[in-house]
Amino acid sequence: MKYFFIFLFSNLIFSQKADGYIDYQYIHKVDLVDKAKIRKAQFRIFFTPSKTFAYDLNKYNRSLEIAKQLGDQNPEFKNEKNQIKPNDFIIIDLQKQIYNSFEYKNSSYLVKDTVLQDWTILEDKKLVLNYSCQKAITTFRGRDYEAWFTSDIPVPFGPWKFNGLPGAILSVVDKTGDVEFSAIKINTAQVDNIIEEPLYYEEVTKEKLAEINDNYTSQINTNFMVTKNGEQYAPVPKIKKKINNPIELQ
């Protein structure tokens, strides 16, 4: 049985205005044996003093391009504010509520994750994108991280699930060098939040979401047909390889 929940506008809907945004480069060596296998992504976080909203820039740009190509033929991709629904995102509020969203056939699935890093702030300082930053270290989900944060941007947020320092986190690297987040652009002027949160969603566990993803992939492999030389056939299913160096080791 499905249970759908509604975001309460009073405390969970992200403000239409944000105090600014930070763009990050994400680099992840996903294979312990073959270090040349690297996952790269760029994503943006909108921030206010109490909440941050992160989304994948490449996925957003692809959605925007599709909307542009389809025009008014498919209004689901946009509304009068030109907002785009992302395929996934992370929301963090001061109560440390993290939500991951996955869009599947017009349904939104969210995973609630409560995290709080135990930071040790050190005296080391350096410049990151011309912002004076201070060093902090923590152990999170099986990895030891070094972070650099700036009190010049007084919000307790950073990339991915990192939060809880007295300033925006501009850089995070784990001690092995396998995972790295680096700020590449900072905007501290108030901007519009262009990402639209779903009003209705089903809250699921991480395990359930993985099952939904596996079933979705299986349906594509089963139902997808290829036409070649006038004949249709089902292609050989792609086997999804499990990475042996995930970002969360625990």
Side-chain angles (χ1 to χ4, degrees):
M1 179 180 295
K2 288 187 177 182
Y3 294 89
F4 290 89
F5 301 80
I6 301 177
F7 280 115
L8 300 178
F9 284 90
S10 60
N11 57 9
L12 286 180
I13 283 293
F14 193 83
S15 170
Q16 289 189 355
K17 292 288 185 180
D19 291 342
Y21 65 80
I22 303 175
D23 291 348
Y24 292 90
Q25 176 78 42
Y26 165 55
I27 300 175
H28 179 193
K29 297 176 182 177
V30 298
D31 196 308
L32 291 172
V33 178
D34 186 357
K35 292 292 186 176
K37 291 184 178 180
I38 297 176
R39 175 179 295 167
K40 291 185 178 181
Q42 290 186 4
F43 61 94
R44 174 170 295 175
I45 67 165
F46 291 111
F47 60 81
T48 71
S50 62
K51 188 175 293 188
T52 185
F53 191 119
Y55 70 97
D56 188 300
L57 275 170
N58 292 329
K59 290 181 180 179
Y60 167 76
N61 289 331
R62 286 197 297 269
S63 296
L64 189 64
E65 184 62 31
I66 292 173
K68 188 184 299 183
Q69 292 176 2
L70 296 178
D72 295 329
Q73 297 177 28
N74 193 339
E76 289 184 6
F77 281 97
K78 60 184 180 178
N79 57 23
E80 66 277 3
K81 297 179 182 178
N82 200 33
Q83 290 176 312
I84 305 296
K85 293 181 179 180
N87 289 324
D88 56 66
F89 55 82
I90 296 177
I91 307 170
I92 305 178
D93 63 24
L94 288 182
Q95 294 179 343
K96 308 301 183 293
Q97 302 300 310
I98 289 82
Y99 297 91
N100 297 324
S101 170
F102 174 70
E103 302 288 335
Y104 170 65
K105 292 187 177 179
N106 297 323
S107 294
S108 298
Y109 297 92
L110 286 91
V111 178
K112 181 183 287 188
D113 188 11
T114 302
V115 298
L116 179 62
Q117 288 97 38
D118 184 14
W119 294 99
T120 298
I121 299 177
L122 306 177
E123 295 299 322
D124 309 58
K125 294 184 178 180
K126 72 174 184 178
L127 287 178
V128 177
L129 294 181
N130 292 322
Y131 282 86
S132 176
C133 292
Q134 191 166 349
K135 185 178 179 179
I137 57 175
T138 191
T139 297
F140 179 62
R141 301 281 167 84
R143 294 185 182 273
D144 296 324
Y145 288 98
E146 172 186 298
W148 294 88
F149 70 94
T150 177
S151 57
D152 293 337
I153 307 176
V155 293
F157 303 120
W160 191 47
K161 299 179 181 180
F162 293 108
N163 66 98
L165 284 169
I169 304 170
L170 302 186
S171 173
V172 184
V173 182
D174 85 313
K175 71 175 184 179
T176 66
D178 290 347
V179 179
E180 179 179 352
F181 298 88
S182 304
I184 56 177
K185 182 179 179 181
I186 299 173
N187 177 72
T188 55
Q190 191 176 71
V191 293
D192 290 328
N193 170 30
I194 58 174
I195 297 297
E196 182 183 75
E197 296 182 36
L199 292 177
Y200 303 94
Y201 65 89
E202 181 182 356
E203 190 171 308
V204 295
T205 63
K206 288 183 179 180
E207 294 74 18
K208 180 63 176 178
L209 186 59
E211 180 184 334
I212 291 171
N213 273 294
D214 289 342
N215 290 339
Y216 178 56
T217 302
S218 177
Q219 289 177 19
I220 292 178
N221 288 336
T222 301
N223 300 326
F224 182 67
M225 299 294 290
V226 173
T227 301
K228 186 175 182 180
N229 298 327
E231 296 184 2
Q232 282 193 335
Y233 66 95
V236 177
K238 291 184 178 180
I239 300 175
K240 187 177 181 181
K241 294 182 179 180
K242 186 176 182 180
I243 64 173
N244 59 31
N245 190 26
I247 187 172
E248 294 187 357
L249 298 176
Q250 296 178 357

